[in-house]
Amino acid sequence: MKKLSMLLAVGATAALTLTACGGSNSGGGSTPNAAPTDKVLHLSFLQDPGQPPDPDIYYAGQGLLLTTNTYEGLLQYKAGTDKPELQPLLATEWTASPDNKVFTFKLRQGVKFHDGTPFTSAAVKASFDRRAAVNQGPAYMVSDIESVTTQGDYDVTVTLKAPNSAFLDYLACPYGPRMLSPEGLKKNAGTDNAQGYLTNHDLGTGPYTLTAAEVGSKYELTAYPDYWGAKPYFEKVELPVITDVSAQQLQFNNGQLAAILHDLPSSAVQSYLDNKSFANYSLPTMMSNFVYINPKKGMMTDAKNRTAVMQAIDVDELVKQTYFGRGKKAEQIYPPNMMAAEYGKQSVTHDPSVLTGLAAGLPADQKAVTIGYDSSNPDNQLISNLIQTQLAAAGLNAKVQAYPTSEIYGWIGGDAQAAPEIMTYLGWPDAPSPYTWGHISWDADGGLNFFGCSSPAIKDALAKGLPTDSDADFSTAGEEAIKTGCWLNVADVNDFMVAQPWLKGVEQAHVVTDPNTLRLAALSVG
């Protein structure tokens, strides 16, 4: 066995590079306030996170800032890069058996949980067991664990039921299992494995502890005085929920907020690109904007029709109109920065004449299609409207409709009849293993497979690639997914963030696998 220092996506193009602009007080119409002297960092949420900041429950986008800064796992991904690179965290060393079934970890000493108890090997089994017992969205990451055995307080071995090359990715990813205090879990167990307690408290080891969680109103983090690592510059982070994007931007422009980390619409992106009073950052992620096509409804039950719809979509125009300054046209069916450029190639030729010919022969009721988008995503409202225009030109009667996130996830496992024929969706993998994306998106029971589209060839290729992390097999799975006509990757999307010019360390605090968030302990003023 050899020590792993896994570097994924070797050879991938670095098209989504770290960039920062602005930072002076010349130009533009706003003058940011001076850096705070009270060591309080003011940020905000555009929507309430919507789920408790409990690492075994939280499985959304907005709100990662809470879980990733209060809890820590055994491993993490390096910040400030455009490729996922594993690093030590609460485990200082690790090995994997040649068949990716047995993993050993040497644990960091001198770490305290936020309840004051020491971190030891006992926490590994307790944390894995708790995630399995809660059995929410990210529970699958520990479902194949056969045993957890300890060798003293600081050595532990995890044995899986079957080989899994993605297991180390699970441990490091933003939704992966975090270490929780065994004593705290026991003390606050209640009747729900401490779920009630962890809605407004935490039992982590991170640089910050959760000191307020008022749903729909505000959240607050406070630096943990006994943190084992470097002490954060900011002693407190205040996060009000500001549900109006214009109000959020006004507070930022007036200097009341230090940064806006995500959810800026295209119009706002352009305004900040043009305003040199602020710093703006377009940072690499694993986010992609997809078009999903429902194979169970109307004209889309025919794969030929689904493919024709994809050919009618002018992807270049969508990207030009929506993602200028923060993304590019996708070349692969997988999200960016995951696989080398030669794998998972997506080649859908733009040719609206194919759909025009098909539409001419369809009855009127078959020509009516709905294009759906998540109501919280202004970019996909724009993209859906653009697609509506393009499909109308090809002969379809398309309408656009917004759906709340909860309703979209409610389609999973159903007959897809309440869902639209087409949906635009911004997504990213739980972990950077190609298997993880393929499984959650293309397997029939996947957590992002909203319309239940799949094929035996996809499932076989994913299963074949999992034991050894075979890019060739995962590439085959992607090619088979393209053949279904159910998915089109439109754009590789960056994290576009704006900040006051005095806020330092944004690039160094950003992790390619962790969208919409920063490692707050890396931020300072200057």
Side-chain angles (χ1 to χ4, degrees):
M1 294 187 291
K2 62 186 179 72
K3 184 175 177 181
L4 300 181
S5 178
M6 184 185 292
L7 180 62
L8 300 180
V10 174
T13 55
L16 296 180
T17 54
L18 294 163
T19 60
C21 311
S24 72
N25 283 326
S26 60
S30 303
T31 303
N33 288 358
T37 57
D38 58 3
K39 295 193 173 182
V40 177
L41 180 65
H42 295 273
L43 301 171
S44 66
F45 289 130
L46 183 60
Q47 307 169 54
D48 188 84
Q51 294 175 325
D54 177 335
D56 295 328
I57 295 176
Y58 185 78
Y59 201 39
Q62 190 153 198
L64 272 176
L65 197 73
L66 301 174
T67 56
T68 57
N69 284 286
T70 54
Y71 294 94
E72 295 174 317
L74 296 179
L75 307 177
Q76 66 178 357
Y77 284 102
K78 186 176 181 179
T81 71
D82 60 359
K83 301 179 188 70
E85 182 180 348
L86 283 176
Q87 281 190 325
L89 192 52
L90 294 182
T92 58
E93 297 178 24
W94 64 95
T95 62
S97 62
D99 64 355
N100 286 310
K101 190 175 178 181
V102 180
F103 300 84
T104 65
F105 302 91
K106 184 172 291 295
L107 305 183
R108 189 176 301 279
Q109 301 185 32
V111 176
K112 285 186 179 180
F113 287 105
H114 295 161
D115 64 359
T117 60
F119 166 68
T120 67
S121 57
V124 179
K125 179 172 172 52
S127 299
F128 288 169
D129 286 350
R130 196 261 177 175
R131 174 164 286 213
V134 169
N135 198 27
Q136 295 289 317
Y140 76 88
M141 297 185 189
V142 299
S143 63
D144 286 338
I145 292 177
E146 183 174 84
S147 65
V148 178
T149 56
T150 59
Q151 299 86 40
D153 283 346
Y154 298 103
D155 291 277
V156 64
T157 299
V158 179
T159 302
L160 307 183
K161 298 172 186 175
N164 188 337
S165 61
F167 185 66
L168 294 176
D169 292 306
Y170 292 167
L171 298 185
C173 75
Y175 302 102
R178 296 296 187 254
M179 296 297 102
L180 293 87
S181 163
E183 292 185 36
L185 289 174
K186 184 177 180 180
K187 178 181 177 182
N188 301 287
T191 59
D192 61 359
N193 293 295
Q195 290 181 61
Y197 180 77
L198 292 181
T199 60
N200 49 21
H201 301 81
D202 80 271
L203 291 169
T205 62
Y208 287 90
T209 185
L210 184 70
T211 47
E214 300 175 17
V215 176
S217 177
K218 70 171 185 177
Y219 295 81
E220 181 186 88
L221 301 174
T222 302
Y224 181 53
D226 290 331
Y227 182 57
W228 61 268
K231 300 297 184 286
Y233 172 84
F234 291 104
E235 297 171 355
K236 186 173 288 186
V237 184
E238 295 187 351
L239 293 146
V241 178
I242 304 172
T243 56
D244 180 81
V245 67
S246 297
Q248 185 187 49
Q249 291 172 54
L250 181 62
Q251 288 198 27
F252 172 76
N253 294 346
N254 290 339
Q256 295 167 267
L257 296 177
I260 300 177
L261 304 186
H262 51 92
D263 290 335
L264 282 167
S266 300
S267 57
V269 170
Q270 187 63 65
S271 70
Y272 288 117
L273 287 172
D274 294 338
N275 190 335
K276 302 306 180 185
S277 294
F278 303 106
N280 64 73
Y281 303 87
S282 189
L283 303 169
T285 73
M286 304 185 86
M287 291 192 292
S288 283
N289 214 112
F290 284 88
V291 172
Y292 280 60
I293 297 185
N294 185 347
K296 300 177 180 179
K297 194 170 181 182
M299 67 172 286
M300 304 306 176
T301 57
D302 189 326
K304 178 174 80 279
N305 293 350
R306 297 195 295 272
T307 300
V309 167
M310 288 185 175
Q311 288 182 279
I313 295 173
D314 187 344
V315 173
D316 289 318
E317 188 64 21
L318 299 187
V319 176
K320 176 183 175 183
Q321 294 288 333
T322 310
Y323 286 119
F324 49 84
R326 55 186 175 130
K328 68 180 185 68
K329 180 180 178 180
E331 303 292 339
Q332 296 172 292
I333 188 63
Y334 283 90
N337 304 309
M338 178 174 283
M339 303 177 76
E342 65 267 25
Y343 293 114
K345 296 292 286 185
Q346 177 180 257
S347 54
V348 178
T349 305
H350 176 52
D351 184 2
S353 68
V354 179
L355 181 60
T356 301
L358 287 171
L362 291 174
D365 62 332
Q366 291 282 298
K367 294 182 183 181
V369 298
T370 298
I371 305 166
Y373 69 93
D374 190 315
S375 57
S376 68
N377 191 306
D379 289 329
N380 271 325
Q381 181 179 11
L382 174 57
I383 285 177
S384 297
N385 288 334
L386 292 169
I387 292 175
Q388 177 190 34
T389 300
Q390 293 172 4
L391 297 186
L396 296 187
N397 178 18
K399 70 173 184 177
V400 173
Q401 182 174 333
Y403 296 87
T405 305
S406 57
E407 185 174 348
I408 291 171
Y409 278 86
W411 300 331
I412 297 171
D415 62 9
Q417 295 308 298
E421 286 81 5
I422 302 168
M423 183 177 71
T424 59
Y425 182 78
L426 181 69
W428 58 87
D430 296 355
S433 161
Y435 171 82
T436 305
W437 180 259
H439 169 64
I440 63 176
S441 301
W442 307 327
D443 273 344
D445 58 351
L448 291 181
N449 194 344
F450 303 110
F451 303 141
C453 185
S454 191
S455 76
I458 295 173
K459 189 175 184 68
D460 290 347
L462 289 173
K464 186 179 178 184
L466 179 60
T468 59
D469 192 29
S470 166
D471 278 348
D473 290 322
F474 295 142
S475 185
T476 298
E479 291 162 5
E480 293 297 330
I482 294 169
K483 290 178 185 178
T484 67
C486 292
W487 297 278
L488 175 68
N489 191 357
V490 172
D492 298 336
V493 183
N494 289 11
D495 261 338
F496 185 84
M497 301 180 176
V498 293
Q500 305 294 351
W502 50 258
L503 186 65
K504 303 304 177 186
V506 172
E507 293 163 301
Q508 295 77 16
H510 185 266
V511 186
V512 65
T513 57
D514 300 13
N516 305 325
T517 187
L518 295 173
R519 289 186 179 152
L520 298 174
L523 300 176
S524 62
V525 302

